[in-house]
Amino acid sequence: MKVGFFQFAPKFGEIQHNLNAILKAIEEFSGDLLVFPELAFSGYQFVGKAEVEELAQDAGSSRVFQTIQEALHGRSLHVVLGFAERADGCLYNSAMLLGPRGPIGTYRKTHLFFEETFWFAPGNTGFQVWDIGVAKIGLMVCFDWFYPESARTLALKGADILCHPSNLVLPYCPDAMVTRCLENGVFAVTANRIGLEERGGKSPLRFIGMSEIVAPNGRILYRAQESDSQLYGCDIDVTQARKKRINPYNDLLKDRQPQWYKW
Ligand code: ACM
């Protein structure tokens, strides 16, 4: 199967502009799975909760998702998109998996980063895995990488590929995902954004790019540049993520000793 990411710089608050860039990437990409950054429609650096409320989408009825749905119609492509979600009177930093037949599932970011804690509620979905036929897809969002439990939970639930929409500002994640993949025997597609946001007199945030695709043996199949937009895809053999045997005597997940992991 062919998986990829679209690394770009969403313009803050310009939903139609960002949607157009996303639609163009969907049109140009030939493959099975395409991952977009965190908060891909709205931008990242909010200055108040009212702004998040204004830019948030309702997963069930948003025109943005209806348009993406139309773009996927008749294709075999699945996409994962990060977005600000309005649901049940709360705001979440979410990611949605959509396929040609409609939305498949929404994951709400568990581990909020920095000022996200002002605007968003911590996710209440838990980590989830969906079977899209060619692979089992697990979703995590950006700072979830810092908690190894996120990737581990997805692997234990059967994920072959971790789809990881991101707005990374710290430099550590691209290298850390090598370990996340190796210790769980999974692929990961981290789709990060690029560019600078400096809003409301706050300290500027520079996003680090370096979106990447990592294999279950920890090999970086591809890593993008720090500041260029890029639509990238490569072929992977998903069966590699189903071989959890390390050697004749060790099985990665079966050899866990969870009775000793409590404190
Ligand atoms: C992050 O979680 N956006 C760093």
Side-chain angles (χ1 to χ4, degrees):
M1 68 179 288
K2 186 171 171 188
V3 300
F5 58 75
F6 181 46
Q7 170 169 298
F8 75 118
K11 283 195 185 168
F12 189 90
E14 298 194 25
I15 289 187
Q16 188 61 49
H17 172 91
N18 300 328
L19 175 61
N20 289 346
I22 288 165
L23 290 170
K24 188 162 177 287
I26 288 175
E27 192 185 319
E28 286 176 12
F29 187 77
S30 66
D32 304 289
L33 177 67
L34 181 57
V35 186
F36 292 85
E38 179 182 12
L39 298 171
F41 303 107
S42 59
Y44 185 80
Q45 198 179 33
F46 301 103
V47 296
K49 200 162 179 174
E51 211 173 47
V52 193
E53 267 154 15
E54 191 189 314
L55 294 169
Q57 314 291 317
D58 182 316
S61 61
S62 153
R63 184 188 58 80
V64 157
F65 287 117
Q66 284 163 11
T67 311
I68 288 173
Q69 199 53 66
E70 285 159 21
L72 293 177
H73 185 73
R75 306 264 313 261
S76 58
L77 177 63
H78 286 75
V79 297
V80 175
L81 293 137
F83 70 108
E85 183 187 13
R86 192 188 308 111
D88 312 327
C90 289
L91 296 164
Y92 298 99
N93 184 344
S94 298
M96 190 191 282
L97 171 65
L98 294 99
R101 281 180 295 284
I104 294 171
T106 299
Y107 162 70
R108 296 176 176 153
K109 184 175 183 177
T110 305
H111 304 101
L112 299 172
F113 179 70
F114 196 54
E115 290 183 341
E116 289 170 36
T117 54
F118 296 164
W119 336 121
F120 295 114
N124 58 1
T125 54
F127 296 99
Q128 302 200 51
V129 174
W130 290 281
D131 190 344
I132 62 166
V134 280
K136 290 187 181 156
I137 305 299
L139 265 53
M140 52 190 263
V141 174
C142 203
F143 195 50
D144 283 330
W145 76 266
F146 210 94
Y147 297 84
E149 295 86 347
S150 313
R152 177 67 99 205
T153 305
L154 290 168
L156 288 169
K157 287 186 163 188
D160 302 309
I161 307 172
L162 309 182
C163 292
H164 184 208
S166 295
N167 275 190
L168 297 161
V169 289
L170 302 176
Y172 315 110
C173 175
D175 287 344
M177 288 310 287
V178 169
T179 306
R180 293 292 98 80
C181 289
L182 183 63
E183 70 197 1
N184 291 295
V186 291
F187 288 93
V189 182
T190 297
N192 194 29
R193 62 161 292 176
I194 54 169
L196 182 85
E197 284 186 1
E198 187 170 13
R199 304 195 61 254
K202 294 184 189 218
S203 302
L205 292 178
R206 184 174 294 285
F207 301 95
I208 66 164
M210 296 198 279
S211 298
E212 66 182 8
I213 301 174
V214 183
N217 62 2
R219 199 157 70 83
I220 299 169
L221 300 178
Y222 184 78
R223 182 179 280 180
Q225 297 296 313
E226 290 170 29
S227 52
D228 297 337
S229 284
Q230 189 173 11
L231 177 64
Y232 177 80
C234 69
D235 289 319
I236 62 166
D237 174 6
V238 83
T239 63
Q240 286 174 7
R242 295 180 183 170
K243 295 180 187 139
K244 302 296 192 194
R245 190 151 282 289
I246 301 168
N247 60 44
Y249 310 106
N250 293 110
D251 183 284
L252 179 57
L253 296 181
K254 289 198 184 121
D255 287 359
R256 296 172 64 250
Q257 302 290 334
Q259 72 275 21
W260 300 117
Y261 302 159
K262 299 186 183 80
W263 60 94

